[in-house]
Amino acid sequence: MESPAFDLAFEPAYGRAVPVAPGAERITAENPGPFTFYGTNSYIVGSSSVAVIDPGPEDEAHYLALMAALAGREVTHIFVSHTHRDHSPLSRRLQAATGAVTVGQGPHRPARPLREGEINPFSESSDLAFVPDIALGDGQTLSGDGWSLTSVATPGHTANHAAFALEGRDILFSGDHVMAWSTSIVAPPDGSMADYMASLERLIERQDRLLLPGHGGPVTAPAAFLQGLKAHRLGRERAILERIRVGDRGIAEMVKAIYRDTDPKLHGAAALSVLAHIEDLVERGEIAADGPPSLAATYRLL
């Protein structure tokens, strides 16, 4: 299976603002986990008047660290890449303290409607209360003191995911769409593999020189890394087709074979990733299901 060169080296420096590029600092929340790595990265962009990107979870220590780093500076905008609870909830307290306006692609929404009897496995992870003051459409730009950020719609991980391009720097704050330490979770119905792959192709075409993600360290060679991510996803797709060809009919069987070297605790997330690929393959007419694609359905080649 092709994979990009993942980079697990990262020093979170909890509670401290770390410069990551001219005019940009990172503060990492201490909320480590299997999907957050060492924690959520919040970014401060600008100098005397700044924007905050992804304020993070509702966490007292992280709030205090952000406020300490922002002391003496005006906060005008709070950008949110997407509405998972490790990224957006602290926007409410930060806004109350600073008076800044919130910015995002829009409220949380699934990539497709729930099917009859289907349960959204990530519903508890979604921040349904976040509604941005400014719904920034794809390609729209907001500017402040010495910075301009342009929204780059990157649905896939969530339907409302956006990256933010720092104009004039070839730097992209990539949220959870692209991370140096791991692939992004794409889990229906919140996520869509077809959308994810289209967004990935869009970032390949952009040719940024540095990606600053929502978790872990920077992607310092985006061109090669993005191609590696694309190859990895296409390799996973081929593996699914091969498992169906040799006789696997259900997602649970496929996961046991394809993810045999993965911690079984992560097989639930892996099954959702396989489902995302399968939904795309069904839509493209490469496989068929015995009903709507689901974790319990059976599949065959066409």
Side-chain angles (χ1 to χ4, degrees):
M1 181 74 63
E2 302 92 337
S3 291
F6 292 121
D7 184 1
L8 301 181
F10 181 65
E11 170 50 58
Y14 296 129
R16 182 163 53 89
V18 177
V20 289
E25 303 161 78
R26 180 188 67 222
I27 303 178
T28 302
E30 194 168 357
N31 60 324
F35 302 123
T36 58
F37 197 35
Y38 283 94
T40 302
N41 293 330
S42 300
Y43 294 96
I44 300 171
V45 180
S47 53
S48 60
S49 177
V50 303
V52 173
I53 299 174
D54 280 348
E58 179 51 63
D59 178 88
E60 180 69 16
H62 189 54
Y63 171 74
L64 293 175
L66 272 173
M67 292 304 293
L70 293 166
R73 298 192 277 185
E74 178 190 20
V75 183
T76 59
H77 297 78
I78 302 167
F79 288 78
V80 169
S81 67
H82 65 293
T83 44
H84 279 158
R85 290 187 180 276
D86 57 324
H87 287 262
S88 55
L90 200 60
S91 63
R92 292 182 273 281
R93 195 149 44 132
L94 189 59
Q95 180 177 48
T98 64
V101 296
T102 57
V103 183
Q105 196 275 333
H108 192 83
R109 64 183 188 276
R112 60 161 175 78
L114 278 171
R115 299 188 176 108
E116 185 176 354
E118 185 180 23
I119 296 172
N120 185 345
F122 280 90
S123 60
E124 295 301 315
S125 301
S126 304
D127 180 7
L128 302 180
F130 178 81
V131 178
D133 297 320
I134 299 174
L136 199 64
D138 183 41
Q140 291 184 314
T141 302
L142 287 175
S143 299
D145 180 20
W147 58 265
S148 291
L149 288 167
T150 298
S151 177
V152 181
T154 45
H157 175 64
T158 61
N160 69 343
H161 194 287
F164 300 108
L166 186 57
E167 294 299 330
R169 311 278 186 87
D170 295 329
I171 293 173
L172 186 75
F173 296 92
S174 57
D176 282 8
H177 185 65
V178 175
M179 301 175 289
W181 72 283
S182 176
T183 56
S184 178
I185 297 293
V186 181
D190 273 9
S192 162
M193 189 59 70
D195 288 348
Y196 181 87
M197 294 301 287
S199 297
L200 193 61
E201 195 65 45
R202 186 176 186 195
L203 294 198
I204 290 171
E205 293 171 359
R206 283 184 53 83
Q207 299 182 347
D208 293 294
R209 66 175 179 83
L210 181 69
L211 306 185
L212 296 172
H215 306 277
V219 177
T220 56
F225 190 80
L226 291 168
Q227 290 290 353
L229 278 180
K230 179 180 177 180
H232 176 80
R233 296 288 187 178
L234 293 175
R236 189 70 75 202
E237 181 181 286
R238 288 194 298 273
I240 291 167
L241 291 170
E242 176 61 16
R243 293 312 307 171
I244 296 174
R245 189 190 68 78
V246 299
D248 288 356
R249 291 293 173 259
I251 287 177
E253 296 172 88
M254 300 178 208
V255 168
K256 286 180 182 178
I258 297 170
Y259 292 87
R260 58 184 175 274
D261 296 326
T262 299
D263 185 341
K265 294 178 182 177
L266 298 177
H267 279 192
L272 290 168
S273 179
V274 170
L275 176 59
H277 277 290
I278 281 176
E279 287 188 344
D280 187 25
L281 289 166
V282 169
E283 181 67 24
R284 286 154 46 195
E286 297 202 33
I287 63 175
D290 62 351
S294 71
L295 293 174
T298 59
Y299 301 94
R300 67 183 187 279
L301 297 177
L302 288 176

